Amino acid sequence: MRNRAIATYRFDHRGHGRSEGERTYYGDFNELLDDTNVVVDMAIEENPNIPVFLMGHSMGEVTVALYGAEYPDKKLKGLVTSGARPMTMWG
């Protein structure tokens, strides 16, 4: 994406990845959405005249979908999801 002059932001979820610092975990899924919101706000603020999309894969896909439902008025151009297995209430 960088070769196309597209800015990207990413972060390690608590308890995942290789970030330095104390290991911690989410006690509530809303904390995941709160962390995502911090990054989204940063991207929107740093790119006021550029469309901002939120993209997630696997666990990130679930986060993106829930984020869109929790923050429907956020100034995002769109949501991109990838990699989660479709689920039904029957499994």
Side-chain angles (χ1 to χ4, degrees), residues 13 23 30 45 48 57 59-60 66 68 73 81:
H13 295 291
R23 282 277 177 209
N30 289 310
E45 182 179 326
H57 174 74
M59 184 175 90
L66 291 174
D73 297 328
T81 62

Side-chain angles (χ1 to χ4, degrees), residues 24-46:
T24 185
Y25 299 93
Y26 292 107
D28 180 308
F29 205 80
N30 289 310
E31 294 173 337
L32 179 59
L33 299 180
D34 294 342
D35 290 353
T36 303
N37 193 47
V38 170
V39 177
V40 168
D41 283 346
M42 182 187 313
I44 290 170
E45 182 179 326
E46 293 178 359

Side-chain angles (χ1 to χ4, degrees), residues 61-81:
E61 185 273 341
V62 174
T63 304
V64 168
L66 291 174
Y67 185 89
E70 183 72 21
Y71 296 95
D73 297 328
K74 197 56 75 164
K75 295 179 181 178
L76 290 171
K77 185 68 173 177
L79 305 173
V80 181
T81 62

Side-chain angles (χ1 to χ4, degrees), residues 1 6 15 18 26 45 65 87:
M1 288 190 207
I6 298 172
R18 299 181 180 166
Y26 292 107
E45 182 179 326
M87 304 258 323

